[in-house]
Amino acid sequence: MIDLHCHMLPGIDDGPTDLTTSLEMARVAVADGITLTACTPHIYPGLFDNDASGIAAAVSRFREHLEEAGIPLEITQGADIQIVPELLEGLRSGRFPTLHGSRYFLFEPPHHTVPPRFLDTVFDALSAGYVPVITHPERLTWLDDHHYGWFLEAARMGAWIQVTAGAVTGRFRDQPRYWAERLLDDGVVHLLATDAHHHARRPPLLAEGREAAAKWVGPEEAERLVSDRPRAIVENRDPGSVTPPAGLGGERWRGSVAHNPAEEGGLSRLMKRLFRKSA
């Protein structure tokens, strides 16, 4: 599995504060079956003033520590980039890193404030040749039925949607789990990632999210969420060459709970939830 959103570098943002914790996170990731992790510290001007060169240097140092500790985890760089006015300029200049140097980048909406011009910003990034990977929409405190449509539209425009694995399993409580399941059920989720910050409190566990997602999208699509599409990003493949989620043209899964298009929405989700609880 490949984890393309993880705060594993020590002392660079709100992730681990020391090398010991970072190395323990790496051990947890390897034990979970993760082979490649993108170290993606926050870029939030005025709070976390990271840039591509500083992140690259931190990744290089941490890679040496992983080798010395005998931890077989491959790492690469990226950043969890907050929506800011200088977003496109930062990408074009190389000051803001994309994922593994690809056309894809992590695009973080603010957690507690509705961003102005959200869809315009998505459109501008796509028009410039980048693919925004919108991080953890299910955990935004301002997400509601009205704003949910923004993310459906962003996905239809060509942005990718990344859901946190722990949100699907309930690690972030009921509301994020509801929105994560709704996004999966509507077939617009491209990726699962850990968004890990600590080896115990916010661990880099991806397999549990894959298994939970499989109940909604089926095992083949669940594997695409953690392996196939992340690999496509690392290889910088054209998004048009990648199998899309079901709601964006991919194939619907018909599993233990029938996915009847006539029952899309609340009833379908309720049936699946009841099935999950009885399983």
Side-chain angles (χ1 to χ4, degrees):
M1 297 182 295
I2 298 172
D3 182 13
L4 292 183
H5 184 180
C6 185
H7 300 261
M8 189 178 282
L9 297 175
I12 199 169
D13 65 354
D14 59 348
T17 58
D18 57 79
L19 178 60
T20 299
T21 303
S22 295
L23 291 174
E24 191 56 36
M25 287 180 69
R27 291 186 182 95
V28 171
V30 169
D32 192 56
I34 295 169
T35 58
L36 171 62
T37 292
C39 297
T40 55
H42 291 287
I43 289 182
Y44 193 160
L47 183 60
F48 300 114
D49 291 308
N50 292 307
D51 59 21
S53 60
I55 294 170
V59 167
S60 180
R61 289 193 299 270
F62 188 51
R63 186 178 289 119
E64 292 177 0
H65 289 299
L66 288 171
E67 292 174 358
E68 291 171 1
I71 302 172
L73 179 67
E74 185 181 354
I75 59 172
T76 188
Q77 79 173 73
D80 197 10
I81 307 172
Q82 184 75 200
I83 298 177
V84 290
E86 61 267 35
L87 175 64
L88 265 186
E89 183 277 327
L91 290 169
R92 285 173 171 148
S93 67
R95 185 162 54 92
F96 294 172
T98 59
L99 289 165
H100 197 64
S102 70
R103 73 192 77 190
Y104 300 83
F105 71 97
L106 294 187
F107 179 81
E108 183 182 32
H111 277 266
H112 305 297
T113 306
V114 178
R117 299 185 67 253
F118 175 74
L119 290 175
D120 289 340
T121 307
V122 171
F123 177 81
D124 290 345
L126 290 164
S127 298
Y130 298 99
V131 179
V133 177
I134 302 172
T135 61
H136 50 66
E138 77 285 353
R139 289 165 39 212
L140 303 175
T141 61
W142 50 268
L143 185 59
D144 54 23
D145 285 326
H146 169 68
H147 293 107
Y148 182 79
W150 288 13
F151 297 98
L152 300 184
E153 182 60 27
R156 295 185 190 110
M157 289 165 61
W160 283 26
I161 304 293
Q162 174 255 301
V163 161
T164 310
V168 190
T169 64
R171 285 183 180 269
F172 293 88
R173 300 189 179 177
D174 290 345
Q175 197 74 353
R177 185 175 192 171
Y178 165 78
W179 292 115
E181 291 174 343
R182 185 166 172 179
L183 288 161
L184 287 164
D185 195 37
D186 285 338
V188 294
V189 179
H190 296 78
L191 305 168
L192 290 182
T194 69
D195 191 11
H197 283 63
H198 190 269
H199 66 278
R201 293 189 298 272
R202 291 271 297 273
L205 298 175
L206 202 49
E208 64 178 23
R210 178 189 60 194
E211 299 311 309
K215 298 176 183 178
W216 294 85
V217 298
E220 290 185 8
E221 173 62 11
E223 191 63 30
R224 293 187 191 106
L225 295 173
V226 299
S227 296
D228 299 355
R229 292 196 194 100
R231 176 60 62 187
I233 289 177
V234 171
E235 295 174 353
N236 196 24
R237 289 172 53 191
D238 188 303
S241 70
V242 182
T243 301
L248 303 172
E251 195 169 321
R252 284 284 182 187
W253 176 61
R254 297 181 180 276
S256 300
V257 178
H259 202 135
N260 184 344
E263 294 178 345
E264 290 286 343
L267 179 58
S268 173
R269 280 186 287 276
L270 177 60
M271 290 174 64
K272 288 187 176 184
R273 241 179 231 107
L274 291 172
F275 174 77
R276 185 191 69 212
K277 288 179 179 178
S278 65

